[in-house]
Amino acid sequence: MSVVGLLFLLMGAMAVGSALLVVTTARLVHSALWLVVTLGALAGCYLLLGAEFVAWVQILIYVGAVVVLLLFALMLTRAPTGVQTGLTTGNRVVAAATAGVVGLVLVTVVVAGFGGARVSVDEESVGSATSMGDAIFRHWVLPFEVLSVLLLAALVGAIVLSRGRASSGEETP
Amino acid sequence: MIVQALGVRTVDDLSEFGTDPWWLSLIKAVLIFVFLLLLTLFNIWFERRVVARMQHRAGPNKNGPFGLLQSLADAMKLMLKEDIMVKAADRLLYVLAPVISVIMAFLAFAVIPFGPVVDVPFTDRQTPLQLTDLPVGVLFVIAVASVGIYGIVLGGWASGSTYSLLGGMRSTAQVISYEVAMSLALVAVFLYAGSLSTSEIVNAQQRLWYALILLPSFIIFWVSMVGETNRAPFDMPEAEGELVAGYFTEYSSMKFAMFFLAEYINMVTVSAVATTLFLGGWRAPWPLSLWDGANAGYWPVLWFLAKVMMFMFVFVWLRGTLPRVRYDQFMALGWKVLIPVALLWTVAVATIRAMTLDGGLDRRVLVGGALVAVLLFLLLSIVGERAPKEEPEAEEQPFDPFAGGYPVPPMPGQRLPRPEPAGVVPGGAQPDQEDDTARRSATEEGD
């Protein structure tokens, strides 16, 4: 096995292992940090596959913004430095089973769809900014626009929800 | 791969990187490390001296020539201080946080170009004055900077103290908000350079600096880089008047020194990024660039340093001049001014760029169109400006300075009672307190 293959396996194992730690650790903030490790390991996988642009965007968006926002929310609500009890839900068996089944379905789909496909990682153009831009803004431009509308709706919805109480109290003409 | 133009060898292709032998990469890495450490020592001294000048003081001038060794002495002193571990701290993260901060600060410098391709002394090798470069170099810098926030956030949380936690939270919100404006400001540069690699962006500025043609981007980047590095007047995460010292309240000794180091390196990093993206990087400024040798050999390092130090001086100048802004004002500036302006500007640049690349439009038409747009905008802003809607008057409640048993500030609409000037004859023509506040607010709204 090549060095890249070995590293890829290591990164994958790291992602899965830290993902398990996310749901099992007894400290809320630590579980957010294990999530950082998971996402970072994923970014490492992308890098090893030659998708440099995707890897750094993954770090920038998920590690640098999403989890930081998560941490922000945790600190805003409750985040003692000590161990917390009762964080694990009572439905853990069902949850684990669901996660396992979803994972199985995803793996099946990917294997069925791309099982025999071979992409040369050495080609520069696989994950570069140019090829990503071409793919998104030529082939996938409609899904991209639909997604952006969806995100905009979510944004407006969040604002409406957060302002709902304040405006219902004021606007009674 | 190496272009020989005007006696300057610049990196033409990214395949130039990654060909260095291991010892050369090691030397470069160590040089960057030492350079940043020395520059930090110098910058601390520089800041103290300049602020002192601005305040008619002398500043540190005892240790070494001009007091230059003062920061070194301070660093030695910090190392000998007791390393305090707070009882309520989360030990692992408490130690890890400053380390993350400082490592991420150093890491970003790997892709900053210091100069063109030069000869390595004592060998017949040639190498670019840059550790490495990626096709997505600038993205790497932004990503690394965003991971660097973890140092502050975790340091604030892991200390287990309220002031630290508040500082960490402020920093989180602050950096996330300003990163958006910062990244948007860079989009225009990418559009013009056609690349995300730092060395190629410097090459693209051979004729004209992007600070001149992309002035709004430059200004937005400049403002947000002050916000991003937690420097005055945007230093709310460590506001000493409100939070003792913010996220590093509980830190001492070397851990504190690491946070300190990270802050100063971050300042240098954002200055270097601004230099690279907007001020032509290591290229000599105009009168100097007439001399052919200015952009060859090791001279560019000097121009690069001069540009970086110019940004550093502005950092210090801001700190010496401006008071700290309030947190809501800061957020309003970020979200309501910088981001919308950056968005508009990005759309405008993309449009102009697309038109120019298609080659379909005369420049005069473009300028005329821009003029019309500006005029329309001004007209709209004048016409569209209505008198602000009368806000419904909140029911008048007399100001109770101890509502709920705690000292509280006045609510909106409430006025602080005027302090009675000493020596006023009691029982004179004093208007009733409530009438007074009502009349005052009425006259103020009439203005």
Side-chain angles (χ1 to χ4, degrees):
Chain A
M1 185 180 279
S2 66
V3 179
V4 174
L6 197 69
L7 279 175
F8 187 78
L9 272 187
L10 271 179
M11 285 283 180
M14 217 164 112
V16 173
S18 48
L20 283 178
L21 280 167
V22 171
V23 287
T24 51
T25 182
R27 299 170 193 218
L28 222 47
V29 171
H30 283 201
S31 94
L33 294 177
W34 282 117
L35 190 59
V36 169
V37 177
T38 309
L39 297 168
L42 268 185
C45 290
Y46 295 148
L47 259 188
L48 288 172
L49 292 177
E52 217 169 5
F53 182 75
V54 186
W56 290 116
V57 168
Q58 161 96 0
I59 298 263
L60 178 62
I61 305 287
Y62 284 95
V63 176
V66 172
V67 180
V68 171
L69 269 183
L70 254 176
L71 278 175
F72 184 68
L74 282 184
M75 289 179 183
L76 210 58
T77 48
R78 47 164 195 167
T81 43
V83 175
Q84 285 162 282
T85 50
L87 285 178
T88 310
T89 165
N91 294 331
R92 68 197 103 170
V93 180
V94 184
T98 315
V101 170
V102 170
L104 208 66
V105 169
L106 279 177
V107 168
T108 321
V109 167
V110 171
V111 170
F114 305 97
R118 290 250 175 267
V119 179
S120 170
V121 178
D122 296 332
E123 272 180 49
E124 267 186 23
S125 58
V126 174
S128 69
T130 321
S131 57
M132 287 296 300
D134 266 348
I136 288 179
F137 294 110
R138 282 186 211 280
H139 299 291
W140 303 102
V141 70
L142 192 64
F144 177 77
E145 290 294 331
V146 171
L147 262 183
S148 66
V149 171
L150 178 73
L151 284 180
L152 185 66
L155 223 106
V156 174
I159 293 173
V160 168
L161 280 182
S162 65
R163 289 185 61 92
R165 203 178 303 154
S167 61
S168 68
E170 282 170 13
E171 289 176 5
T172 43
Chain B
M1 256 164 267
I2 297 169
V3 255
Q4 187 86 35
L6 297 165
V8 186
R9 293 185 305 278
T10 55
V11 182
D12 190 35
D13 195 313
L14 285 182
S15 55
E16 179 82 13
F17 295 97
T19 54
D20 291 335
W22 63 270
W23 53 268
L24 195 53
S25 296
L26 192 69
I27 288 178
K28 279 189 195 173
V30 170
L31 276 182
I32 288 179
F33 184 75
V34 172
F35 166 78
L36 284 178
L37 279 185
L38 288 181
L39 197 58
T40 301
L41 288 182
F42 175 79
N43 278 337
I44 295 171
W45 170 85
F46 177 73
E47 173 167 28
R48 294 180 63 179
R49 286 288 285 208
V50 173
V51 168
R53 278 277 165 224
M54 288 175 179
Q55 297 167 349
H56 290 273
R57 294 186 284 117
N61 58 0
K62 289 283 182 276
N63 300 318
F66 309 107
L68 266 169
L69 296 183
Q70 181 65 46
S71 344
L72 194 64
D74 286 345
M76 287 297 155
K77 190 192 77 173
L78 265 179
M79 274 188 229
L80 299 175
K81 290 278 176 184
E82 184 189 353
D83 194 3
I84 299 170
M85 176 70 81
V86 195
K87 212 172 176 185
D90 185 312
R91 286 173 172 264
L92 176 69
L93 292 182
Y94 184 74
V95 176
L96 205 60
V99 178
I100 294 179
S101 243
V102 90
I103 288 181
M104 291 304 157
F106 275 114
L107 215 53
F109 247 82
V111 295
I112 302 289
F114 285 76
V117 179
V118 296
D119 298 316
V120 184
F122 312 119
T123 59
D124 51 357
R125 278 200 161 272
Q126 292 192 328
T127 183
L129 277 180
Q130 181 176 5
L131 182 55
T132 186
D133 200 359
L134 312 168
V136 289
V138 182
L139 204 59
F140 169 79
V141 175
I142 305 175
V144 161
S146 72
V147 175
I149 319 170
Y150 279 97
I152 295 178
V153 177
L154 294 181
W157 175 76
S159 302
S161 115
T162 311
Y163 288 126
S164 304
L165 187 65
L166 284 174
M169 274 175 47
R170 281 187 179 191
S171 173
T172 327
Q174 177 167 337
V175 178
I176 286 186
S177 330
Y178 273 65
E179 214 159 59
V180 180
M182 198 172 191
S183 312
L184 277 174
L186 296 185
V187 172
V189 174
F190 301 153
L191 283 176
Y192 263 84
S195 170
L196 273 76
S197 125
T198 44
S199 60
E200 280 173 9
I201 289 175
V202 170
N203 279 349
Q205 295 178 73
Q206 201 156 4
R207 219 164 47 83
L208 208 57
W209 290 357
Y210 286 150
L212 301 177
I213 41 178
L214 300 173
L215 189 64
S217 288
F218 182 52
I219 294 171
I220 292 167
F221 185 84
W222 205 335
V223 174
S224 48
M225 89 189 199
V226 179
E228 178 98 359
T229 45
N230 299 330
R231 289 283 304 182
F234 301 148
D235 56 346
M236 275 79 69
E238 42 179 284
E240 68 274 357
E242 303 155 30
L243 298 179
V244 187
Y247 57 92
F248 55 73
T249 306
E250 308 294 343
Y251 279 88
S252 64
S253 187
M254 271 317 279
K255 297 204 201 79
F256 168 75
M258 277 196 228
F259 271 132
F260 208 76
L261 185 64
E263 178 179 333
Y264 278 83
I265 295 179
N266 275 330
M267 278 158 69
V268 176
T269 306
V270 287
S271 305
V273 171
T275 304
T276 304
L277 297 186
F278 290 104
L279 295 189
W282 44 263
R283 288 185 181 281
W286 169 64
L288 282 168
S289 59
L290 295 178
W291 168 41
D292 277 346
N295 279 329
Y298 285 91
W299 282 109
V301 179
L302 192 64
W303 319 139
F304 179 78
L305 253 181
K307 289 173 190 174
V308 168
M309 284 317 289
M310 187 208 71
F311 279 109
M312 285 301 302
F313 176 76
V314 176
F315 268 121
V316 175
W317 191 7
L318 286 177
R319 181 184 155 182
T321 319
L322 295 177
R324 182 178 302 127
V325 299
R326 229 170 47 214
Y327 201 67
D328 59 320
Q329 294 169 333
F330 175 72
M331 281 296 167
L333 174 70
W335 288 100
K336 295 181 184 168
V337 180
L338 290 185
I339 292 180
V341 170
L343 271 175
L344 268 182
W345 174 244
T346 306
V347 172
V349 167
T351 315
I352 294 173
R353 196 72 187 136
M355 281 181 183
T356 331
L357 284 184
D358 285 346
L361 218 55
D362 195 3
R363 191 158 289 189
R364 273 172 300 178
V365 179
L366 214 62
V367 172
L371 267 181
V372 170
V374 168
L375 278 180
L376 268 179
F377 183 76
L378 283 180
L379 202 70
L380 276 180
S381 63
I382 292 168
V383 172
E385 198 166 348
R386 304 237 184 287
K389 216 166 105 182
E390 286 282 322
E391 283 203 11
E393 196 70 37
E395 63 264 46
E396 283 284 325
Q397 279 179 346
F399 174 54
D400 179 9
F402 281 91
Y406 297 101
V408 290
M411 298 283 284
Q414 287 179 338
R415 304 267 166 193
L416 275 174
R418 267 192 206 159
E420 297 281 326
V424 170
V425 188
Q430 288 278 339
D432 187 29
Q433 187 60 51
E434 290 210 19
D435 288 359
D436 187 31
T437 49
R439 201 187 62 221
R440 261 208 296 161
S441 57
T443 50
E444 274 179 21
E445 272 168 19
D447 284 349

